[in-house]
């Protein structure tokens, strides 16, 4: 027996002059199996389409995830944190080398050459790892949208959003406070921009992921 949600959605879509191929693709993407979709189309016949709500979603099914999926997400975020930190240290050290200045509130200007070498080594190792895990996770998620519901993924995303948001707010407060004291300079501005660029990019990307999760509702 055809599902009423599928029938309503098909009727609405047909009334909006959508093609059968597009309707089928939307339903499959939402998680309905092909058999249920076929039953929905077959049960319509010549009935008049009526507008229902949005794309229907199937009853919540068990997530087809494995221990490796959770472990891979952990490695992804750990490599992201290490890579972002190393990248910030390297950029900060180059700023201090080519544009020296007294940065009372920034630790980057006080880093030694030894720390710079360690940051470069960390970046060389973690950048390829991050790229590999990021591409693999995206590929596996496209095949299995249930991975978006993975608890480890959600926890790390919100931890990342929280940390990057706090870091950006702290950086802006520090910047304003320093300028009010009259200690701001080119060196300090560049360090501020580096911090905001790194944390802002990460925050924007994972905020977009959260919005996409809400749209799909897998």
């Amino acid at each position: 027996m055809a599902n009423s949600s599928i029938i309503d959605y098909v009727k609405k879509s047909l009334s909006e002059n959508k093609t059968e191929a597009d309707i089928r693709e939307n339903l499959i993407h939402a998680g309905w199996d092909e058999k249920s979709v076929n039953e929905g189309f077959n049960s319509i016949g010549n009935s008049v389409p009526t507008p229902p709500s949005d794309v229907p979603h199937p009853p919540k099914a068990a997530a087809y995830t494995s221990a490796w999926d959770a472990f891979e997400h952990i490695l992804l975020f750990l490599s992201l944190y290490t890579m972002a930190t190393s990248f910030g240290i390297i950029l900060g050290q180059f700023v201090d080398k080519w544009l020296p200045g007294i940065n009372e509130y920034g630790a980057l200007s006080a880093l030694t050459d030894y720390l710079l070498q360690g940051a470069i080594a960390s970046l060389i190792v973690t950048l390829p790892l991050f790229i590999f895990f990021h591409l693999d996770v995206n590929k596996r998620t496209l095949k299995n949208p249930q991975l978006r519901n993975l608890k480890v993924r959600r926890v790390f995303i919100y931890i990342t959003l929280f940390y990057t948001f706090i870091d950006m707010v702290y950086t802006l407060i520090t910047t304003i406070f320093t300028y009010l004291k009259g200690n701001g300079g080119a060196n300090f501005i560049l360090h501020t921009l580096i911090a905001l660029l790194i944390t802002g990019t990460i925050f924007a990307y994972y905020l977009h992921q959260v919005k996409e999760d809400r749209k799909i509702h897998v």
Side-chain angles (χ1 to χ4, degrees), residues 25-102:
E25 182 180 353
N26 290 338
L27 289 169
I28 295 297
H29 182 73
W32 293 101
D33 58 85
E34 188 173 354
K35 180 181 178 181
S36 298
V37 175
N38 289 334
E39 290 177 350
F41 272 97
N42 293 335
S43 65
I44 292 177
N46 296 322
S47 59
V48 179
T50 56
S53 57
D54 221 339
V55 179
H57 294 276
K60 190 174 181 180
Y64 296 96
T65 59
S66 64
W68 168 251
D69 293 316
F71 184 62
E72 188 174 34
H73 277 81
I74 293 175
L75 295 179
L76 168 66
F77 281 96
L78 291 181
S79 62
L80 170 64
Y81 301 153
T82 306
M83 179 190 68
T85 302
S86 301
F87 193 54
I89 292 173
I90 293 171
L91 291 179
Q93 282 291 81
F94 275 110
V95 168
D96 290 337
K97 179 178 180 180
W98 298 108
L99 189 63
I102 299 176

Side-chain angles (χ1 to χ4, degrees), residues 16-32:
E16 296 173 350
N17 296 323
K18 293 182 180 179
T19 65
E20 180 177 339
D22 288 339
I23 299 172
R24 288 181 178 274
E25 182 180 353
N26 290 338
L27 289 169
I28 295 297
H29 182 73
W32 293 101

Side-chain angles (χ1 to χ4, degrees), residues 88-142:
I89 292 173
I90 293 171
L91 291 179
Q93 282 291 81
F94 275 110
V95 168
D96 290 337
K97 179 178 180 180
W98 298 108
L99 189 63
I102 299 176
N103 187 4
E104 183 179 353
Y105 298 98
L108 291 178
S109 61
L111 292 173
T112 63
D113 291 337
Y114 179 80
L115 184 57
L116 175 61
Q117 294 170 0
I120 293 174
S122 297
L123 186 63
I124 291 174
V125 173
T126 55
L127 179 58
L129 287 176
F130 173 75
I131 293 175
F132 169 78
F133 289 127
H134 181 71
L135 294 177
D136 192 55
V137 164
N138 285 346
K139 180 181 178 181
R140 292 166 65 87
T141 303
L142 287 175

